[in-house]
Structure formats: structure tokens, C-alpha cells
Amino acid sequence: MSELRLVDLFHHHFEVAEATTDELKLKAFRLRYQVYCVENSFEPKNLEGLERDIYDGHSLHGLLIHRASGNVAGGVRLVRSRPNDPLRSFPLQEFSDDPAFCDRRRFPLAHTAEVSRFAISRDFRRRFSDTAYGDNSPGRPLVMQHITLGLMRAIMEISRAHDITDWLAVMEPALLRLLQRVGIFYAPIGGLIEHHGLRQPCAANIEEMVATSRQHNFDCYEVMTDSGRLAERRTLVAA
């Protein structure tokens, strides 16, 4: 029997969904509360057990769902620009005033979004590792090693659906290195900033990232692009 590809293992364990309903958005906000307020003290705790902020109103939200249990394994959001207030569109603009982020030739306003609230529940990781989900397939550790790819797949799905071509982000240097190891490259913009520890503002053009990923790590490219389906560029209307 031939060995399953990483993309096959991913499809066996997970599915991605855009949180377009109030119910799904609440699941995203609950996960964020667990990760950002309970597991880490990045944001203050509150009585409702939901982590939300001023950017959620112009954001798109993605979820990574474990098929066997139906539980949410991870979440991520894409913060879109505010056409009437471009200088205060993105969370990173609170911490960096680099003019590159306002360069509309480099980052077309209508097609740029900031990757934010990248979250995987520690409780999910523990229970999955302890086989509490009743899943003992041989590829399970490999899927966990690359679970970050599931959230990258989610933002790819959302970006293609909403004509997003460029991503901004503020990342831990360790996460940037992890992504580079699987063939996903963000370009640093400016120096490190202080935001819950040292973070690196960075950016990526989706077409360039997809091409680079295909060259450096084809297995991860297949997961991120759904075996190339999401690699196809759409025809966009100029911003």
C-alpha cells in the first residue's frame, strides 16, 4: 500500500470553514479567548469568555475543524482595509509607522489583508496527542507537526474567495522560521517591534508565496493550495 500524501492526511483529519454565521464567529471568539486570554495573558479576561476587538467588524474569520469530533482545532482572521481610513485599517499600524504599509502600489488597498489572531488550542493539541479523539492512524503525528498548514490553507481559501492578493502580519521570529522550514516565506518590513515580546512586521504576495512554496516543499504546497486548486490566480478588478 502506498504511503498517504500529506494532503490526503490533512483531508482525513481536518476541514476548513469561513466563519460567516454568528454561531461560527462565536466559536472563533471563544477559541481566541482560550488562547489569548487564558493560555496566554495577551488580552484581558472577561465574563463573556469571548475575545473580540475593534477590527473584527471589517475582518474575515477562518476555522480549522477536526472532522472526527467536529471540534474547532484552530482559528485565524484576515483584517481587511478600511477604504475611508487606510492609515488605521490594520492592527500592525498601532505598532509600526513604516510607510511601506501605506504604499498602494505594493499593497493595493482593496486586495490587502492582515493575518491576525492565529490560534491553535493547547487543549486540542493535548487531547489529540492523548488520542482522546479515538484516532490512532499512522500519519497522526505528521498531521500535528504541520497543523499550522491547516490555518494557512484557511486563509488561502478565504483570500481566493474575497480577491485578496497580499498579506500583512506581525509574527514571532520563531513562527517565521517555522513557516520558512515548510516553504512559506514572508518578507520582513522594518525592524523588530515590541508587542507581547519581540515581533517582526512582514508581508507576502500570495502569488509569489505559492510559487516559492511549490519549489521548496511540494507536500506543504499541496496542503496550502488544495493540490493546486487555490494556486490559480483570479482576474481582479483594479483597486
Side-chain angles (χ1 to χ4, degrees), residues 11-65:
H11 283 301
H12 174 75
H13 289 288
F14 298 110
E15 61 180 324
V16 299
E18 182 179 349
T20 56
T21 66
D22 290 341
E23 180 183 2
L24 288 177
K25 288 178 183 178
L26 285 175
K27 289 183 178 183
F29 299 149
R30 289 191 189 103
L31 174 65
R32 280 166 43 177
Y33 185 82
Q34 177 67 27
V35 173
Y36 283 84
C37 304
V38 178
E39 296 175 11
N40 302 281
S41 299
F42 294 155
E43 303 295 337
K45 295 180 180 179
N46 58 66
L47 294 178
E48 64 178 354
L50 304 173
E51 196 282 308
R52 294 181 282 195
D53 64 22
I54 62 173
Y55 298 101
D56 287 314
H58 58 284
S59 294
L60 305 167
H61 306 270
L63 296 173
L64 181 66
I65 299 171

Short mmCIF file of all heavy atoms in Angstrom, two decimals, residues 11-65:
data_model
loop_
_atom_site.label_atom_id
_atom_site.label_comp_id
_atom_site.label_asym_id
_atom_site.label_seq_id
_atom_site.Cartn_x
_atom_site.Cartn_y
_atom_site.Cartn_z
N HIS A 11 -6.80 16.05 4.67
CA HIS A 11 -8.22 15.93 4.36
C HIS A 11 -8.90 14.88 5.25
O HIS A 11 -10.08 15.03 5.58
CB HIS A 11 -8.43 15.58 2.90
CG HIS A 11 -8.26 16.73 1.96
ND1 HIS A 11 -9.02 17.87 2.04
CD2 HIS A 11 -7.40 16.93 0.92
CE1 HIS A 11 -8.65 18.72 1.10
NE2 HIS A 11 -7.67 18.18 0.41
N HIS A 12 -8.16 13.86 5.63
CA HIS A 12 -8.72 12.84 6.51
C HIS A 12 -9.05 13.42 7.88
O HIS A 12 -10.09 13.10 8.46
CB HIS A 12 -7.73 11.67 6.66
CG HIS A 12 -8.16 10.65 7.67
ND1 HIS A 12 -9.17 9.74 7.41
CD2 HIS A 12 -7.74 10.40 8.94
CE1 HIS A 12 -9.33 8.97 8.47
NE2 HIS A 12 -8.48 9.35 9.41
N HIS A 13 -8.18 14.29 8.39
CA HIS A 13 -8.33 14.78 9.76
C HIS A 13 -9.11 16.09 9.85
O HIS A 13 -9.81 16.33 10.85
CB HIS A 13 -6.95 14.99 10.38
CG HIS A 13 -6.22 13.71 10.68
ND1 HIS A 13 -6.58 12.85 11.70
CD2 HIS A 13 -5.14 13.15 10.09
CE1 HIS A 13 -5.76 11.82 11.73
NE2 HIS A 13 -4.87 11.98 10.76
N PHE A 14 -8.95 16.98 8.86
CA PHE A 14 -9.42 18.35 9.03
C PHE A 14 -10.23 18.86 7.84
O PHE A 14 -10.12 18.37 6.73
CB PHE A 14 -8.22 19.30 9.22
CG PHE A 14 -7.40 19.01 10.44
CD1 PHE A 14 -6.12 18.48 10.30
CD2 PHE A 14 -7.89 19.27 11.71
CE1 PHE A 14 -5.35 18.21 11.42
CE2 PHE A 14 -7.12 19.01 12.82
CZ PHE A 14 -5.85 18.47 12.69
N GLU A 15 -11.02 19.88 8.11
CA GLU A 15 -11.64 20.70 7.08
C GLU A 15 -11.54 22.16 7.51
O GLU A 15 -11.40 22.45 8.70
CB GLU A 15 -13.10 20.30 6.85
CG GLU A 15 -13.99 20.48 8.07
CD GLU A 15 -15.42 20.07 7.77
OE1 GLU A 15 -15.87 20.31 6.64
OE2 GLU A 15 -16.07 19.52 8.67
N VAL A 16 -11.60 23.05 6.55
CA VAL A 16 -11.56 24.48 6.86
C VAL A 16 -12.90 25.09 6.52
O VAL A 16 -13.63 24.61 5.64
CB VAL A 16 -10.42 25.20 6.11
CG1 VAL A 16 -9.06 24.62 6.49
CG2 VAL A 16 -10.64 25.13 4.60
N ALA A 17 -13.24 26.14 7.25
CA ALA A 17 -14.51 26.81 7.02
C ALA A 17 -14.36 28.30 7.29
O ALA A 17 -13.67 28.70 8.24
CB ALA A 17 -15.59 26.23 7.93
N GLU A 18 -14.98 29.11 6.46
CA GLU A 18 -15.05 30.53 6.75
C GLU A 18 -16.21 30.75 7.72
O GLU A 18 -17.32 30.22 7.51
CB GLU A 18 -15.28 31.35 5.48
CG GLU A 18 -15.31 32.84 5.75
CD GLU A 18 -15.50 33.69 4.50
OE1 GLU A 18 -15.42 33.14 3.39
OE2 GLU A 18 -15.74 34.91 4.66
N ALA A 19 -15.95 31.50 8.78
CA ALA A 19 -16.97 31.75 9.80
C ALA A 19 -17.87 32.89 9.32
O ALA A 19 -17.62 34.06 9.60
CB ALA A 19 -16.33 32.09 11.13
N THR A 20 -18.92 32.52 8.61
CA THR A 20 -19.82 33.52 8.05
C THR A 20 -21.11 33.67 8.86
O THR A 20 -21.89 34.59 8.60
CB THR A 20 -20.18 33.16 6.60
OG1 THR A 20 -20.74 31.85 6.57
CG2 THR A 20 -18.95 33.19 5.71
N THR A 21 -21.35 32.79 9.81
CA THR A 21 -22.55 32.87 10.65
C THR A 21 -22.17 33.33 12.05
O THR A 21 -21.01 33.21 12.48
CB THR A 21 -23.25 31.51 10.74
OG1 THR A 21 -22.39 30.59 11.45
CG2 THR A 21 -23.53 30.95 9.35
N ASP A 22 -23.15 33.83 12.78
CA ASP A 22 -22.90 34.26 14.16
C ASP A 22 -22.41 33.09 15.01
O ASP A 22 -21.53 33.25 15.86
CB ASP A 22 -24.17 34.85 14.78
CG ASP A 22 -24.54 36.19 14.18
OD1 ASP A 22 -23.66 36.83 13.56
OD2 ASP A 22 -25.70 36.60 14.32
N GLU A 23 -22.96 31.90 14.77
CA GLU A 23 -22.57 30.72 15.53
C GLU A 23 -21.09 30.39 15.33
O GLU A 23 -20.35 30.14 16.29
CB GLU A 23 -23.42 29.53 15.14
CG GLU A 23 -23.07 28.24 15.88
CD GLU A 23 -23.90 27.05 15.42
OE1 GLU A 23 -24.72 27.22 14.48
OE2 GLU A 23 -23.72 25.96 15.99
N LEU A 24 -20.64 30.41 14.08
CA LEU A 24 -19.24 30.10 13.80
C LEU A 24 -18.32 31.20 14.31
O LEU A 24 -17.21 30.92 14.80
CB LEU A 24 -19.04 29.88 12.30
CG LEU A 24 -19.63 28.59 11.72
CD1 LEU A 24 -19.43 28.54 10.21
CD2 LEU A 24 -19.01 27.36 12.38
N LYS A 25 -18.74 32.44 14.20
CA LYS A 25 -17.92 33.54 14.72
C LYS A 25 -17.75 33.43 16.23
O LYS A 25 -16.66 33.69 16.77
CB LYS A 25 -18.52 34.88 14.34
CG LYS A 25 -18.39 35.21 12.86
CD LYS A 25 -19.05 36.54 12.52
CE LYS A 25 -18.97 36.81 11.02
NZ LYS A 25 -19.66 38.07 10.65
N LEU A 26 -18.80 33.03 16.93
CA LEU A 26 -18.69 32.85 18.38
C LEU A 26 -17.68 31.75 18.72
O LEU A 26 -16.94 31.86 19.70
CB LEU A 26 -20.05 32.51 18.98
CG LEU A 26 -21.04 33.68 19.10
CD1 LEU A 26 -22.38 33.20 19.59
CD2 LEU A 26 -20.49 34.78 20.02
N LYS A 27 -17.64 30.70 17.90
CA LYS A 27 -16.64 29.65 18.11
C LYS A 27 -15.24 30.21 17.94
O LYS A 27 -14.33 29.86 18.71
CB LYS A 27 -16.87 28.50 17.13
CG LYS A 27 -18.12 27.68 17.44
CD LYS A 27 -18.26 26.50 16.49
CE LYS A 27 -19.48 25.67 16.84
NZ LYS A 27 -19.62 24.46 15.97
N ALA A 28 -15.06 31.08 16.95
CA ALA A 28 -13.75 31.70 16.75
C ALA A 28 -13.38 32.59 17.93
O ALA A 28 -12.25 32.56 18.42
CB ALA A 28 -13.76 32.51 15.45
N PHE A 29 -14.33 33.37 18.43
CA PHE A 29 -14.06 34.28 19.54
C PHE A 29 -13.78 33.50 20.83
O PHE A 29 -12.98 33.94 21.67
CB PHE A 29 -15.23 35.23 19.74
CG PHE A 29 -15.52 36.12 18.56
CD1 PHE A 29 -16.82 36.55 18.28
CD2 PHE A 29 -14.50 36.53 17.71
CE1 PHE A 29 -17.08 37.37 17.19
CE2 PHE A 29 -14.75 37.35 16.62
CZ PHE A 29 -16.06 37.76 16.36
N ARG A 30 -14.45 32.35 21.02
CA ARG A 30 -14.20 31.53 22.20
C ARG A 30 -12.80 30.93 22.16
O ARG A 30 -12.10 30.88 23.18
CB ARG A 30 -15.25 30.42 22.32
CG ARG A 30 -16.63 30.91 22.70
CD ARG A 30 -17.54 29.76 23.06
NE ARG A 30 -18.92 30.21 23.22
CZ ARG A 30 -19.87 30.03 22.31
NH1 ARG A 30 -19.60 29.39 21.18
NH2 ARG A 30 -21.10 30.49 22.52
N LEU A 31 -12.40 30.44 20.98
CA LEU A 31 -11.05 29.90 20.85
C LEU A 31 -10.03 30.98 21.12
O LEU A 31 -9.03 30.76 21.83
CB LEU A 31 -10.85 29.31 19.45
CG LEU A 31 -9.42 28.85 19.15
CD1 LEU A 31 -9.03 27.69 20.05
CD2 LEU A 31 -9.28 28.46 17.69
N ARG A 32 -10.23 32.16 20.57
CA ARG A 32 -9.30 33.27 20.80
C ARG A 32 -9.21 33.61 22.27
O ARG A 32 -8.12 33.89 22.79
CB ARG A 32 -9.75 34.48 19.98
CG ARG A 32 -9.33 34.42 18.52
CD ARG A 32 -10.04 35.41 17.64
NE ARG A 32 -10.16 36.74 18.18
CZ ARG A 32 -10.71 37.77 17.52
NH1 ARG A 32 -11.16 37.57 16.28
NH2 ARG A 32 -10.79 38.96 18.06
N TYR A 33 -10.33 33.57 22.97
CA TYR A 33 -10.32 33.85 24.41
C TYR A 33 -9.45 32.81 25.13
O TYR A 33 -8.64 33.16 26.00
CB TYR A 33 -11.74 33.83 24.96
CG TYR A 33 -11.80 34.22 26.43
CD1 TYR A 33 -11.80 35.56 26.80
CD2 TYR A 33 -11.84 33.25 27.42
CE1 TYR A 33 -11.83 35.92 28.14
CE2 TYR A 33 -11.88 33.60 28.76
CZ TYR A 33 -11.88 34.95 29.11
OH TYR A 33 -11.90 35.30 30.44
N GLN A 34 -9.63 31.55 24.75
CA GLN A 34 -8.85 30.49 25.40
C GLN A 34 -7.35 30.69 25.18
O GLN A 34 -6.55 30.55 26.10
CB GLN A 34 -9.29 29.13 24.83
CG GLN A 34 -8.51 27.93 25.36
CD GLN A 34 -8.75 27.67 26.83
OE1 GLN A 34 -9.81 28.03 27.35
NE2 GLN A 34 -7.79 27.06 27.50
N VAL A 35 -6.98 31.03 23.94
CA VAL A 35 -5.56 31.14 23.60
C VAL A 35 -4.96 32.46 24.06
O VAL A 35 -3.87 32.49 24.64
CB VAL A 35 -5.36 30.94 22.08
CG1 VAL A 35 -3.91 31.22 21.68
CG2 VAL A 35 -5.77 29.53 21.67
N TYR A 36 -5.67 33.56 23.82
CA TYR A 36 -5.09 34.89 24.05
C TYR A 36 -5.35 35.44 25.46
O TYR A 36 -4.62 36.33 25.90
CB TYR A 36 -5.63 35.88 23.01
CG TYR A 36 -4.97 35.72 21.66
CD1 TYR A 36 -5.43 34.77 20.75
CD2 TYR A 36 -3.87 36.48 21.30
CE1 TYR A 36 -4.82 34.60 19.53
CE2 TYR A 36 -3.25 36.32 20.08
CZ TYR A 36 -3.73 35.38 19.19
OH TYR A 36 -3.11 35.21 17.98
N CYS A 37 -6.36 34.89 26.14
CA CYS A 37 -6.68 35.42 27.47
C CYS A 37 -6.41 34.42 28.60
O CYS A 37 -6.08 34.83 29.71
CB CYS A 37 -8.15 35.85 27.54
SG CYS A 37 -8.63 37.04 26.29
N VAL A 38 -6.57 33.12 28.32
CA VAL A 38 -6.41 32.09 29.35
C VAL A 38 -5.03 31.45 29.27
O VAL A 38 -4.26 31.48 30.24
CB VAL A 38 -7.52 31.02 29.23
CG1 VAL A 38 -7.30 29.92 30.28
CG2 VAL A 38 -8.89 31.66 29.41
N GLU A 39 -4.71 30.87 28.12
CA GLU A 39 -3.41 30.20 27.98
C GLU A 39 -2.27 31.20 27.99
O GLU A 39 -1.18 30.91 28.49
CB GLU A 39 -3.39 29.39 26.69
CG GLU A 39 -4.40 28.25 26.67
CD GLU A 39 -4.45 27.54 25.33
OE1 GLU A 39 -3.57 27.79 24.49
OE2 GLU A 39 -5.37 26.73 25.14
N ASN A 40 -2.51 32.37 27.43
CA ASN A 40 -1.54 33.47 27.44
C ASN A 40 -2.27 34.72 27.93
O ASN A 40 -3.47 34.87 27.70
CB ASN A 40 -0.99 33.73 26.04
CG ASN A 40 -0.32 32.50 25.44
OD1 ASN A 40 0.81 32.16 25.77
ND2 ASN A 40 -1.05 31.80 24.56
N SER A 41 -1.56 35.61 28.57
CA SER A 41 -2.20 36.82 29.09
C SER A 41 -1.99 37.99 28.15
O SER A 41 -1.65 39.10 28.56
CB SER A 41 -1.63 37.14 30.48
OG SER A 41 -1.89 36.09 31.38
N PHE A 42 -2.23 37.75 26.85
CA PHE A 42 -2.05 38.80 25.87
C PHE A 42 -3.19 39.81 25.92
O PHE A 42 -2.99 40.99 25.64
CB PHE A 42 -1.98 38.20 24.46
CG PHE A 42 -0.75 37.35 24.22
CD1 PHE A 42 -0.77 36.35 23.26
CD2 PHE A 42 0.42 37.55 24.94
CE1 PHE A 42 0.36 35.57 23.02
CE2 PHE A 42 1.55 36.77 24.71
CZ PHE A 42 1.51 35.78 23.75
N GLU A 43 -4.39 39.34 26.23
CA GLU A 43 -5.56 40.21 26.30
C GLU A 43 -6.27 39.97 27.63
O GLU A 43 -6.17 38.88 28.20
CB GLU A 43 -6.52 39.93 25.13
CG GLU A 43 -5.89 40.09 23.75
CD GLU A 43 -5.47 41.51 23.44
OE1 GLU A 43 -6.02 42.45 24.08
OE2 GLU A 43 -4.59 41.71 22.58
N PRO A 44 -7.00 40.96 28.15
CA PRO A 44 -7.65 40.81 29.45
C PRO A 44 -8.79 39.81 29.42
O PRO A 44 -9.49 39.66 28.41
CB PRO A 44 -8.16 42.23 29.76
CG PRO A 44 -8.31 42.88 28.42
CD PRO A 44 -7.21 42.32 27.57
N LYS A 45 -8.99 39.13 30.55
CA LYS A 45 -10.12 38.22 30.68
C LYS A 45 -11.41 39.00 30.86
O LYS A 45 -11.40 40.17 31.25
CB LYS A 45 -9.91 37.28 31.87
CG LYS A 45 -8.72 36.33 31.70
CD LYS A 45 -8.57 35.44 32.92
CE LYS A 45 -7.38 34.49 32.74
NZ LYS A 45 -7.19 33.62 33.92
N ASN A 46 -12.53 38.35 30.54
CA ASN A 46 -13.83 38.99 30.70
C ASN A 46 -14.86 37.94 31.05
O ASN A 46 -14.61 36.73 30.96
CB ASN A 46 -14.22 39.76 29.43
CG ASN A 46 -14.26 38.86 28.20
OD1 ASN A 46 -15.09 37.96 28.10
ND2 ASN A 46 -13.34 39.10 27.26
N LEU A 47 -16.04 38.38 31.45
CA LEU A 47 -17.07 37.46 31.92
C LEU A 47 -17.73 36.68 30.79
O LEU A 47 -18.21 35.56 31.00
CB LEU A 47 -18.14 38.24 32.69
CG LEU A 47 -17.68 38.89 34.00
CD1 LEU A 47 -18.82 39.66 34.64
CD2 LEU A 47 -17.15 37.82 34.97
N GLU A 48 -17.76 37.21 29.57
CA GLU A 48 -18.44 36.53 28.48
C GLU A 48 -17.60 35.42 27.86
O GLU A 48 -18.13 34.57 27.14
CB GLU A 48 -18.89 37.51 27.42
CG GLU A 48 -17.76 38.23 26.70
CD GLU A 48 -18.27 39.18 25.62
OE1 GLU A 48 -19.49 39.19 25.37
OE2 GLU A 48 -17.44 39.90 25.03
N GLY A 49 -16.29 35.40 28.12
CA GLY A 49 -15.44 34.35 27.58
C GLY A 49 -15.24 34.42 26.09
O GLY A 49 -15.02 33.40 25.42
N LEU A 50 -15.28 35.64 25.55
CA LEU A 50 -15.07 35.87 24.12
C LEU A 50 -13.99 36.93 23.96
O LEU A 50 -13.97 37.92 24.69
CB LEU A 50 -16.35 36.35 23.44
CG LEU A 50 -17.60 35.48 23.58
CD1 LEU A 50 -18.81 36.19 22.99
CD2 LEU A 50 -17.41 34.13 22.91
N GLU A 51 -13.08 36.73 23.00
CA GLU A 51 -12.06 37.73 22.72
C GLU A 51 -12.40 38.40 21.41
O GLU A 51 -12.39 37.79 20.35
CB GLU A 51 -10.67 37.06 22.65
CG GLU A 51 -9.51 38.04 22.75
CD GLU A 51 -9.23 38.79 21.45
OE1 GLU A 51 -9.08 38.13 20.39
OE2 GLU A 51 -9.18 40.04 21.50
N ARG A 52 -12.73 39.70 21.49
CA ARG A 52 -13.09 40.47 20.31
C ARG A 52 -12.43 41.84 20.41
O ARG A 52 -12.07 42.29 21.50
CB ARG A 52 -14.62 40.63 20.22
CG ARG A 52 -15.34 39.34 19.98
CD ARG A 52 -16.84 39.52 19.86
NE ARG A 52 -17.47 39.69 21.15
CZ ARG A 52 -18.78 39.59 21.38
NH1 ARG A 52 -19.59 39.31 20.36
NH2 ARG A 52 -19.29 39.75 22.57
N ASP A 53 -12.29 42.50 19.26
CA ASP A 53 -11.73 43.85 19.28
C ASP A 53 -12.33 44.69 18.15
O ASP A 53 -13.23 44.24 17.43
CB ASP A 53 -10.19 43.81 19.22
CG ASP A 53 -9.65 43.22 17.92
OD1 ASP A 53 -10.38 43.22 16.90
OD2 ASP A 53 -8.50 42.77 17.90
N ILE A 54 -11.82 45.90 17.99
CA ILE A 54 -12.40 46.86 17.05
C ILE A 54 -12.19 46.45 15.59
O ILE A 54 -12.83 47.01 14.70
CB ILE A 54 -11.82 48.27 17.27
CG1 ILE A 54 -10.30 48.26 17.03
CG2 ILE A 54 -12.16 48.78 18.66
CD1 ILE A 54 -9.68 49.65 17.06
N TYR A 55 -11.31 45.49 15.33
CA TYR A 55 -11.01 45.10 13.96
C TYR A 55 -11.94 44.00 13.44
O TYR A 55 -11.98 43.73 12.23
CB TYR A 55 -9.56 44.64 13.85
CG TYR A 55 -8.58 45.72 14.19
CD1 TYR A 55 -7.96 45.75 15.44
CD2 TYR A 55 -8.29 46.74 13.29
CE1 TYR A 55 -7.06 46.77 15.77
CE2 TYR A 55 -7.40 47.76 13.61
CZ TYR A 55 -6.79 47.76 14.86
OH TYR A 55 -5.91 48.78 15.18
N ASP A 56 -12.67 43.36 14.32
CA ASP A 56 -13.50 42.23 13.89
C ASP A 56 -14.62 42.65 12.95
O ASP A 56 -15.07 41.85 12.13
CB ASP A 56 -14.07 41.50 15.11
CG ASP A 56 -13.01 40.69 15.84
OD1 ASP A 56 -12.25 39.99 15.16
OD2 ASP A 56 -12.95 40.77 17.08
N GLY A 57 -15.05 43.88 13.05
CA GLY A 57 -16.14 44.35 12.21
C GLY A 57 -15.79 44.41 10.73
O GLY A 57 -16.68 44.35 9.88
N HIS A 58 -14.48 44.54 10.41
CA HIS A 58 -14.08 44.53 8.99
C HIS A 58 -13.07 43.41 8.72
O HIS A 58 -12.10 43.57 7.99
CB HIS A 58 -13.54 45.89 8.54
CG HIS A 58 -12.37 46.41 9.33
ND1 HIS A 58 -12.46 46.95 10.59
CD2 HIS A 58 -11.05 46.48 9.02
CE1 HIS A 58 -11.28 47.34 11.02
NE2 HIS A 58 -10.41 47.04 10.07
N SER A 59 -13.34 42.26 9.36
CA SER A 59 -12.46 41.09 9.22
C SER A 59 -13.21 39.89 8.67
O SER A 59 -14.44 39.80 8.76
CB SER A 59 -11.87 40.71 10.59
OG SER A 59 -11.01 41.72 11.08
N LEU A 60 -12.43 38.96 8.12
CA LEU A 60 -12.92 37.66 7.69
C LEU A 60 -12.32 36.61 8.61
O LEU A 60 -11.14 36.72 8.98
CB LEU A 60 -12.51 37.39 6.24
CG LEU A 60 -12.91 38.45 5.22
CD1 LEU A 60 -12.17 38.23 3.89
CD2 LEU A 60 -14.41 38.44 4.99
N HIS A 61 -13.09 35.62 9.00
CA HIS A 61 -12.65 34.67 10.02
C HIS A 61 -12.65 33.25 9.47
O HIS A 61 -13.60 32.84 8.80
CB HIS A 61 -13.57 34.75 11.24
CG HIS A 61 -13.70 36.12 11.81
ND1 HIS A 61 -12.85 36.61 12.79
CD2 HIS A 61 -14.56 37.13 11.52
CE1 HIS A 61 -13.20 37.85 13.08
NE2 HIS A 61 -14.23 38.20 12.32
N GLY A 62 -11.57 32.51 9.75
CA GLY A 62 -11.46 31.14 9.29
C GLY A 62 -11.29 30.18 10.45
O GLY A 62 -10.69 30.52 11.48
N LEU A 63 -11.81 28.97 10.31
CA LEU A 63 -11.72 27.94 11.33
C LEU A 63 -11.13 26.66 10.75
O LEU A 63 -11.38 26.33 9.58
CB LEU A 63 -13.10 27.64 11.92
CG LEU A 63 -13.80 28.76 12.68
CD1 LEU A 63 -15.22 28.33 13.04
CD2 LEU A 63 -13.02 29.15 13.92
N LEU A 64 -10.37 25.96 11.57
CA LEU A 64 -9.87 24.64 11.25
C LEU A 64 -10.63 23.66 12.13
O LEU A 64 -10.59 23.75 13.35
CB LEU A 64 -8.37 24.55 11.52
CG LEU A 64 -7.68 23.23 11.20
CD1 LEU A 64 -7.71 22.95 9.70
CD2 LEU A 64 -6.25 23.23 11.72
N ILE A 65 -11.35 22.73 11.51
CA ILE A 65 -12.26 21.85 12.23
C ILE A 65 -11.78 20.41 12.13
O ILE A 65 -11.45 19.92 11.04
CB ILE A 65 -13.69 21.97 11.68
CG1 ILE A 65 -14.18 23.42 11.87
CG2 ILE A 65 -14.63 20.99 12.37
CD1 ILE A 65 -15.49 23.71 11.18
#
